Amino acid sequence: MAATSRPKLLAGRKVLLLADFQFEDLELMYPKMRLEEEGAEVSVMGAHPAGIKYTGKYGYPVKSDLCVDNMSTTDAVASYDALLIPGGFAPDYMRRNQAMLDLTVAMAGAGRVVASICHGPWMLCSARRTDGSPLAKGIRATCFSACKDDLINAGATYVDEPAVVDGPFITARTPADLTPFLHAIIDEMAK
């Protein structure tokens, strides 16, 4: 039986998916495949030269398409509709990279979807607006329980819900929340 075609909710949309070593495999691969399934073009971006193979906590590989150092924040905002930050240990590397922090601030400032799951919201704690305040300040957000205090200390209102949408920010707790997380991302990007 032939597969039926159905409308692609994100046709023509583009997503930057941040990656680094020790990402949570499901939190990177499932969103990548699900967004591509909806017609989005997903580009994997890391801090190392394009083409590097990052491996997840459980050994699943993903090859980067782009290096954050080779794209200006202006070009990223002009070219992409969303930024996705998976969890695992990778966000601890990402938040030490100023270009990744600047990219996160620029995407949020432009009203692009900034979606993060598990330890990914650490980026919202470390990325700072021009006034020095963390992106997390003043938003409702969720994350993996071990990051809860970091979100609160960065000025967010922590809520223990599967997925939380607040302005351009979409956050989720764990791989168990991937379905509502992706529903929220797709719904926001399809507007």
Side-chain angles (χ1 to χ4, degrees), residues 81-93:
D81 303 290
L83 178 68
L84 199 147
I85 308 164
F89 192 76
D92 199 36
Y93 293 128

Side-chain angles (χ1 to χ4, degrees), residues 21-32:
F21 296 103
Q22 297 296 307
F23 60 85
E24 170 57 54
D25 303 55
L26 280 173
E27 294 169 356
L28 186 142
M29 296 310 300
Y30 178 74
K32 182 179 187 307

Side-chain angles (χ1 to χ4, degrees), residues 3-174:
T4 60
S5 67
R6 61 183 218 35
K8 304 289 185 190
L9 296 175
L10 301 181
R13 303 296 175 106
K14 295 174 73 176
V15 178
L16 276 175
L17 175 55
L18 296 186
D20 212 318
F21 296 103
Q22 297 296 307
F23 60 85
E24 170 57 54
D25 303 55
L26 280 173
E27 294 169 356
L28 186 142
M29 296 310 300
Y30 178 74
K32 182 179 187 307
M33 289 186 281
R34 185 66 187 91
L35 294 169
E36 288 172 342
E37 185 177 72
E38 288 296 344
E41 178 186 324
V42 179
S43 299
V44 177
M45 176 181 268
H48 302 87
I52 196 163
K53 181 178 78 172
Y54 293 104
T55 50
K57 288 175 19 181
Y58 302 104
Y60 206 88
V62 67
K63 189 171 122 180
S64 68
D65 302 302
L66 303 165
C67 174
V68 69
D69 294 329
N70 296 333
M71 179 178 284
S72 73
T73 56
T74 303
D75 288 344
V77 166
S79 302
Y80 290 89
D81 303 290
L83 178 68
L84 199 147
I85 308 164
F89 192 76
D92 199 36
Y93 293 128
M94 294 174 195
R95 68 185 186 155
R96 300 177 210 180
N97 182 294
Q98 192 60 52
M100 284 191 170
L101 295 172
D102 293 344
L103 172 65
T104 306
V105 170
M107 293 293 280
R112 302 294 188 262
V113 168
V114 176
S116 57
I117 185 169
C118 194
H119 288 75
W122 264 344
M123 289 289 283
L124 307 181
C125 299
S126 296
R128 306 278 171 162
R129 297 179 182 94
T130 55
D131 68 3
S133 65
L135 285 179
K137 185 176 181 180
I139 68 168
R140 290 179 70 249
T142 195
C143 61
F144 181 65
S145 60
C147 303
K148 174 184 172 182
D149 289 345
D150 297 313
L151 264 182
I152 293 168
N153 290 334
T157 299
Y158 173 82
V159 289
D160 186 14
E161 296 175 6
V164 177
V165 178
D166 190 345
F169 301 103
I170 302 171
T171 53
R173 300 174 301 193
T174 69

